Amino acid sequence: MNGEQATFVNAMGDTLAAWNLSRATGRVYGYLLLQAEPSRSEDLRSELSLSSGAVSTATRELVAWGLARTIPQSGSRRLLVEAAGGFEQLLAASHERTRTFIRTLQDARELTESEDAAQRLSDVTELFSSYLDAGERVLRERSRS
């Protein structure tokens, strides 16, 4: 991995860490995005200086978010890992978390202590709903192209 690739991989680590995923998960995702072929766990450990546990956890998180997929190897328990896409999967995963957040906000409406608090809660809910709607439009337009 060259210096520019390492910079990108580390930036992805920082970005996904801001989304409450581990920095290692972001680094693994960044690395996988740059690879022409699926990667072995050994390669991820070596190239990213990560432990076996960190690679395993990162792989599970990426698969759970729909950002990576594992590929079984015949005659072996080992798996290859590859990025499952990019923007669409990342945005879709963000949207699912945003939907959960919106539901939590909506459920809190009856808990407010004043009309001002209820309005503030409504404004925040509307903001995140608008974000979600805009993102859904982007995904629909991209799927048509």
Side-chain angles (χ1 to χ4, degrees), residues 38-69:
S39 297
R40 299 177 311 146
S41 293
E42 297 83 14
D43 298 331
L44 295 171
R45 286 194 311 267
S46 171
E47 288 290 326
L48 301 172
S49 300
L50 295 172
S51 69
S52 295
V55 168
S56 177
T57 298
T59 299
R60 280 193 312 275
E61 286 182 336
L62 291 171
V63 169
W65 275 62
L67 298 174
R69 66 178 148 261

Side-chain angles (χ1 to χ4, degrees), residues 24-117:
T25 297
R27 292 182 68 230
V28 168
Y29 184 55
Y31 180 83
L32 292 173
L33 285 171
L34 299 177
Q35 301 309 300
E37 300 291 328
S39 297
R40 299 177 311 146
S41 293
E42 297 83 14
D43 298 331
L44 295 171
R45 286 194 311 267
S46 171
E47 288 290 326
L48 301 172
S49 300
L50 295 172
S51 69
S52 295
V55 168
S56 177
T57 298
T59 299
R60 280 193 312 275
E61 286 182 336
L62 291 171
V63 169
W65 275 62
L67 298 174
R69 66 178 148 261
T70 56
I71 303 164
Q73 299 300 289
S74 61
S76 173
R77 291 178 40 213
R78 297 182 189 264
L79 301 171
L80 295 177
V81 184
E82 69 179 349
F87 178 74
E88 290 86 358
Q89 286 80 7
L90 200 55
L91 196 53
S94 172
H95 287 176
E96 189 53 42
R97 293 190 186 274
T98 302
R99 282 185 199 90
T100 300
F101 184 59
I102 290 169
R103 285 190 297 272
T104 301
L105 291 169
Q106 290 168 335
D107 291 346
R109 171 93 173 140
E110 63 192 45
L111 304 175
T112 59
E113 295 182 354
S114 69
E115 188 53 42
D116 286 343

Side-chain angles (χ1 to χ4, degrees), residues 98-139:
T98 302
R99 282 185 199 90
T100 300
F101 184 59
I102 290 169
R103 285 190 297 272
T104 301
L105 291 169
Q106 290 168 335
D107 291 346
R109 171 93 173 140
E110 63 192 45
L111 304 175
T112 59
E113 295 182 354
S114 69
E115 188 53 42
D116 286 343
Q119 184 59 52
R120 183 174 51 246
L121 186 64
S122 178
D123 291 346
V124 171
T125 303
E126 185 178 315
L127 173 69
F128 280 93
S129 293
S130 297
Y131 160 78
L132 186 60
D133 292 343
E136 292 295 327
R137 279 194 303 275
V138 168
L139 287 175

